[in-house]
Amino acid sequence: YDVLTSMNNLITHFEKISKNLMAQYELSKSSTHPVIKGSLRELFISEFLKTHLPAKARIESGQIFDCKMNISHQHDIVIYRDDAPIIYLGERNNLLFIEGVLAVIEIKSNLGDSEYYQSLDTNKELQNFHYSAEIIILEKNKLQDIPISVRQKYYKIKKKKIPYYIFAYDGPEKETLNK
């Protein structure tokens, strides 16, 4: 195989996955209950991710909280470290430590203006959460008393942003959203 053949195979693979997801989406339309439809559509994406992400990443759902006890809204899919603790409250109702979150994905059947702006607000809220290392630094209140290695770690943690994605089965073209 040369690189071009490998890339073509990869593109073909994901085109087939895309067609499969859209077929599952169409099948989910046979349900008349909106919660069931939404749950099925989240399941389709979760199953895709489970087969395409490394084993160190697990797929969860629920609320994210931080060291200051800020608690997010419910998130459809949270890509979570497999070694991070989790508080199970029941099926798809987990409390997830911010330190274990690798990414967040919101699933939308149709991405209209209100869903788009609501998702942007949710992302903005989530990006303001605090990591536990920040508390140690802030309680000290004197940066010069803290070893340089700890300060460097603090700055790296503080600047970390959670990747936040919106997956929509239907909605405006990308060019429309960019406006």
Side-chain angles (χ1 to χ4, degrees):
Y1 280 118
D2 62 12
V3 172
L4 187 57
T5 303
S6 297
M7 285 303 296
N8 286 335
N9 286 341
L10 187 62
I11 290 168
T12 301
H13 170 78
F14 283 107
E15 285 172 345
K16 289 178 181 178
I17 293 286
S18 178
K19 287 178 184 174
N20 185 42
L21 287 170
M22 289 310 294
Q24 291 174 320
Y25 168 73
E26 290 299 324
L27 185 60
S28 71
K29 287 181 178 179
S30 62
S31 174
T32 57
H33 197 283
V35 173
I36 293 173
K37 281 183 188 179
S39 293
L40 285 171
R41 292 166 183 174
E42 290 170 20
L43 178 67
F44 302 151
I45 302 302
S46 293
E47 291 302 316
F48 162 75
L49 291 170
K50 286 177 186 175
T51 60
H52 288 79
L53 288 176
K56 293 271 182 203
R58 65 182 190 215
I59 306 303
E60 296 294 343
S61 178
Q63 294 177 284
I64 298 167
F65 73 98
D66 69 6
C67 58
K68 293 186 176 184
M69 295 312 295
N70 293 310
I71 300 178
S72 72
H73 299 290
Q74 190 271 351
H75 296 286
D76 299 331
I77 296 175
V78 178
I79 302 174
Y80 202 67
R81 289 183 15 211
D82 75 335
D83 63 344
I86 188 169
I87 300 172
Y88 288 100
L89 299 176
E91 185 77 21
R92 302 184 52 77
N93 295 305
N94 304 312
L95 286 177
L96 306 164
F97 292 80
I98 189 77
E99 291 82 4
V101 176
L102 300 171
V104 173
I105 304 172
E106 298 301 336
I107 309 299
K108 303 293 181 192
S109 295
N110 189 335
L111 185 63
D113 285 346
S114 64
E115 293 85 4
Y116 178 69
Y117 289 113
Q118 179 185 9
S119 293
L120 291 180
D121 288 343
T122 300
N123 176 37
K124 185 178 178 181
E125 170 190 272
L126 194 57
Q127 299 306 332
N128 289 321
F129 275 35
H130 303 273
Y131 290 82
S132 57
E134 290 181 68
I135 290 293
I136 296 166
I137 301 297
L138 294 174
E139 285 176 356
K140 262 304 216 183
N141 207 14
K142 290 184 179 178
L143 229 51
Q144 66 271 17
D145 293 345
I146 299 170
I148 189 74
S149 60
V150 175
R151 277 188 270 162
Q152 287 171 341
K153 184 176 179 180
Y154 165 69
Y155 286 117
K156 286 179 188 172
I157 290 173
K158 186 174 183 184
K159 292 179 183 176
K160 180 181 175 185
K161 296 291 183 188
I162 297 170
Y164 185 90
Y165 304 96
I166 305 168
F167 179 93
Y169 285 96
D170 195 14
E173 296 296 322
K174 182 179 178 182
E175 293 76 29
T176 304
L177 287 175
N178 287 339
K179 294 178 184 179

